[in-house]
Amino acid sequence: MTDVRTTRWTRADLDRLADDPATTAPPIGDAPTRVLADRDVWDLWPVQEEDGSPTVLNGRELWMTLSAPASGHPELRHDMARLWLLARTGDNWTDLGPVFPDGASPGSREWSGCAVRRPDGTVSVFYTATGTRGEARPTFHQRVMEARPALITTDGTVRLSPEAEHRVVLRSDGHAYLPADEVDGGPGRIKAFRDPAWFRDPADGSEYLLVAASVPWGDRFMGAVALARWTDGAWRLLAPLVVAEGVNHEIERPHVVVHDSRYYLFFCTSRQAFHPPGAPTGLYGFVADALTGPYEPLNGSGLVLRNPPAQPDQAYAWWVLDDLRVVGFTNYLRGDGADPRHLPAAEARASFGGTAAPVLRLGLHGSTTHLTP
């Protein structure tokens, strides 16, 4: 069994958080051009090679995103989310259609994950199946799935084969990690077992999945980064890498980047997920000498990147690439500090970006970080 040295993210860490231009994103200003004209996109990630670099075909990077029709209250998009395939050249995006055919997933919608191109010509698509196909109203049962469609490149086109088995590869165990199976709930109000991110450890070649999870520590559930290792033909859950001990109940999209032989663990979380409140929506991170820890918070507090105070919800769901580009999506462009989840539909829709945010770039120096031009 791999020995994980769990790190506790505590109030003492967050007390070190300070306003700093080096960790503050510039204001976005006007909403960027939409990736898809009639669909919202959020939670973007590259189809990656096994070394972590983005897959490039015909001079274009392959990407996936969550997507839903661009109508109604933006927060309802989570109840209609589908995985979508894109090609990227610089700031230009090409629509390659849904990743899976209608009805392929066992869930009522598809939530975030990752994708890895395999040597046999398939793509391992790890994602979160949420709810149950055909349910009368959305529920929140979450499990980690894998499908391995063939990557087809003919006549200059790129697509994924519609014939692929969808298998549950990982569930919360109900003990170390709480079951994410609520019937009622919504963003920020449910337990988590989602957002799988694949990683091959260069130290020993082993495959791992990082998963956003909830643990039963203390009086209320807490956000955590779960770790699973591919062992003897199955994914085996290990102890958590990081637990937000009493400070945050919803860590999202954890992933690891190796830089200068150190392991950088990143995740995002929103200002509404902190208790007590006070920390900003942002990208947070930790660093260790081994995948299994122990980790120390970057910049003392864990904060790597925050939205500017005048636009506290301007972007979210950041993903750090192997070359330290940081990709997120444009969220709510408003400066009044109102919780967007509680705004009337028309008002929320008017300020919602629903598209890729301007790309940022990160500098890493041991346990300190900064945004670079």
Side-chain angles (χ1 to χ4, degrees):
M1 180 67 71
T2 302
D3 182 21
V4 175
R5 301 176 69 181
T6 300
T7 297
R8 298 166 184 246
W9 189 31
T10 68
R11 175 55 50 188
D13 297 323
L14 287 175
D15 285 344
R16 300 185 183 97
L17 197 153
D19 290 336
D20 186 344
T23 55
T24 302
I28 289 178
D30 295 334
T33 302
R34 294 184 66 84
V35 171
L36 300 176
D38 58 350
R39 298 186 67 88
D40 293 330
V41 302
W42 69 102
D43 288 24
L44 300 105
W45 63 90
V47 177
Q48 68 186 63
E49 302 293 339
E50 291 196 349
D51 65 0
S53 62
T55 293
V56 179
L57 294 174
N58 302 325
R60 303 183 298 176
E61 292 179 347
L62 282 187
W63 282 72
M64 290 184 184
T65 184
L66 295 187
S67 180
S71 61
H73 200 297
E75 295 304 299
L76 295 180
R77 71 189 188 275
H78 304 288
D79 295 341
M80 301 175 283
R82 295 283 304 276
L83 271 62
W84 219 260
L85 187 64
L86 302 167
R88 178 176 190 166
T89 307
D91 293 330
N92 298 315
W93 298 85
T94 302
D95 181 3
L96 299 180
V99 171
F100 304 131
D102 292 348
S105 166
S108 60
R109 61 263 199 227
E110 301 153 6
W111 284 359
S112 286
C114 65
V116 186
R117 184 162 76 153
R118 299 295 194 174
D120 64 1
T122 63
V123 175
S124 282
V125 183
F126 296 98
Y127 70 98
T128 312
T130 305
T132 303
R133 186 191 306 163
E135 61 189 1
R137 63 185 181 90
T139 61
F140 297 90
H141 173 47
Q142 301 159 49
R143 58 275 196 209
V144 174
M145 309 292 301
E146 182 187 11
R148 289 188 62 164
L151 181 61
I152 301 171
T153 57
T154 56
D155 301 325
T157 63
V158 176
R159 62 186 180 90
L160 296 173
S161 169
E163 293 83 26
E165 178 188 5
H166 292 244
R167 300 183 300 111
V168 177
V169 295
L170 204 57
R171 300 178 187 268
S172 53
D173 59 8
H175 301 288
Y177 301 104
L178 290 170
D181 58 1
E182 286 102 331
V183 173
D184 298 305
R189 296 181 286 117
I190 55 173
K191 300 179 183 70
F193 199 80
R194 60 179 182 266
D195 303 353
W198 182 92
F199 177 74
R200 187 184 294 281
D201 189 351
D204 62 5
S206 296
E207 296 185 53
Y208 293 87
L209 285 176
L210 286 76
V211 181
S214 301
V215 296
W217 294 19
D219 296 332
R220 57 188 298 181
F221 67 87
M222 301 177 188
V225 178
L227 185 67
R229 186 176 189 267
W230 181 254
T231 306
D232 297 330
W235 292 102
R236 310 292 183 185
L237 273 172
L238 306 174
L241 293 179
V242 171
V243 171
E245 187 172 22
V247 298
N248 188 288
H249 66 262
E250 189 174 46
I251 286 173
E252 298 188 283
R253 306 198 75 204
H255 56 287
V256 167
V257 172
V258 175
H259 180 75
D260 287 344
S261 300
R262 303 195 79 190
Y263 294 75
Y264 288 85
L265 166 63
F266 298 103
F267 55 80
C268 56
T269 189
S270 70
R271 59 192 176 103
Q272 294 90 350
F274 286 98
H275 47 83
T281 293
L283 176 73
Y284 290 80
F286 292 72
V287 63
D289 292 326
L291 174 63
T292 52
Y295 284 85
E296 63 174 304
L298 291 169
N299 302 317
S301 65
L303 179 65
V304 174
L305 160 65
R306 64 166 295 169
N307 286 323
Q311 295 278 358
D313 300 298
Q314 74 168 12
Y316 193 57
W318 298 273
W319 188 275
V320 182
L321 301 172
D322 67 321
D323 62 3
L324 304 187
R325 285 178 292 164
V326 184
V327 178
F329 81 96
T330 307
N331 199 14
Y332 291 97
L333 298 178
R334 54 186 302 131
D336 58 7
D339 188 337
R341 298 174 297 179
H342 305 314
L343 294 173
E347 187 177 350
R349 173 56 58 181
S351 63
F352 183 65
T355 192
V359 175
L360 303 173
R361 187 172 291 276
L362 197 60
L364 300 177
H365 303 281
S367 60
T368 63
T369 75
H370 66 277
L371 292 174
T372 66

